[in-house]
Amino acid sequence: MNSERPAGFGTRAIHAGQQPDPTTGAIMTPVFLTSTYVQEAPAKTKGYDYSRSHNPTRTALEQNLAALEGGRFGLGFASGMAAIHCVLNLLRSGDHVIAGNDLYGGTYRLLRTLYDKFGLTTTFVDLTDLQQFEGAFRPNTKLVMLETPTNPLLRCCDLGAIAQICRRRSVLSMADNTFATPFLQNPLALGCDIVAHSTTKYLGGHSDVVGGALVSNDEALHKQLMHFQNSCGGTPGPMDCFLVLRGTKTLHVRMQRHCENALAVAQWLAQHPRVARVHYPGLPSHPNHAIAMRQMRAGGGMVSVELKATVEQAKQVCSSFGVFSLAESLGGVESLVDHPASMTHASIPAEERRRSGLEDGLIRLSVGIEDEADLIADLDRALQRLR
Ligand SMILES: *Cc1c(COP(=O)(O)O)cnc(C)c1O
């Protein structure tokens, strides 16, 4: 890939970071199942000395993810939480964080139950309200953590505006791009400092691996993050890296179908008599539709729906599907349904959940790439439980 013009997304997805193996010509990056590397003389290595620090399969993945996000540096982690944990370690006791008020439950848990005891304080705000956001800054604010679209309400905040405010105040910004993926949205290009991913989701794409990643552009920042990655050792194994690398090759094709199916599902649900509200950034009725369409290529693969139902009925609906599987997680080729209040978001206190708009009757769909007609027939059958 040394042509003059920058390669398109699909070409980068398939080739970036990867060359045929020089000894055999194998077209696929080998899974380097090795912990150590033989040195020609003390400290004379071929660039690898120990696999917590570096492993060639991981290097290929890190370069591939950096290329997809349009960044210079990628870092692989054992999970999305290990990646986000790494970012928090840039801070010190006494620092202040501003975070979105409907962040991934695990990120909320990390801030609330593990980091506040080290004297790190966090203010949770609605990041779609820039005035509220600006009002949350304190002299000791060092980091802004955001997601867009958020989980599970799929609210979209203005990445460019938030990044600009952070830059003006010399505060770091981290965007968790797990839901949108680099195919749909590129936070670094809009001015964010760090992009975080749970590669467990769309990047891996096949529900067969847990992993995480960070991508950044600033070399000094990257070195700090890499120092932490190596010191704490939350790194992914080579087989995991191989699986994510295999997933990213088809990211663009999968995302196109995820988006088409999700839009069809959202449109179908929006006209259903037992549906109170559909949350999907690709629908014009979504409150952040305009900003979503400005910074995203399409609406994404996630749809949340508030049923005209009690909690018990909503749970019953969740257990009535034939094609959608009742499970946590998202972003795989197969469709999943989740009841956030009792599953993925159960660690957030009920009152706080409702205050941020997460109703008990909300169900979240990770729309897969099966046939659209089968997904809609399955939803139709399940919603008949509410008759
Ligand atoms: C799943 C997820 C995470 C956590 O990633 P793991 O790989 O499960 O550790 C973080 N952020 C978002 C938005 C997620 O969906």
Side-chain angles (χ1 to χ4, degrees), residues 187-210:
L188 295 179
L190 296 171
C192 291
D193 296 303
I194 304 170
V195 173
H197 276 286
S198 169
T199 58
T200 315
K201 316 295 168 52
Y202 289 105
L203 295 182
H206 296 75
S207 309
D208 52 9
V209 63
V210 170

Side-chain angles (χ1 to χ4, degrees), residues 321-354:
F321 286 97
V323 180
F324 283 84
S325 301
L326 179 61
E328 303 205 354
S329 199
L330 58 110
V333 290
E334 63 287 301
S335 293
L336 301 179
V337 57
D338 162 53
H339 182 237
S342 56
M343 294 165 62
T344 44
H345 291 62
S347 63
I348 304 176
E351 202 177 300
E352 210 155 320
R353 239 175 18 230
R354 286 183 205 121

Side-chain angles (χ1 to χ4, degrees), residues 146-157:
L146 66 89
E147 287 171 29
T148 179
T150 63
N151 178 18
L153 292 174
L154 306 171
R155 289 184 179 130
C156 299
C157 60

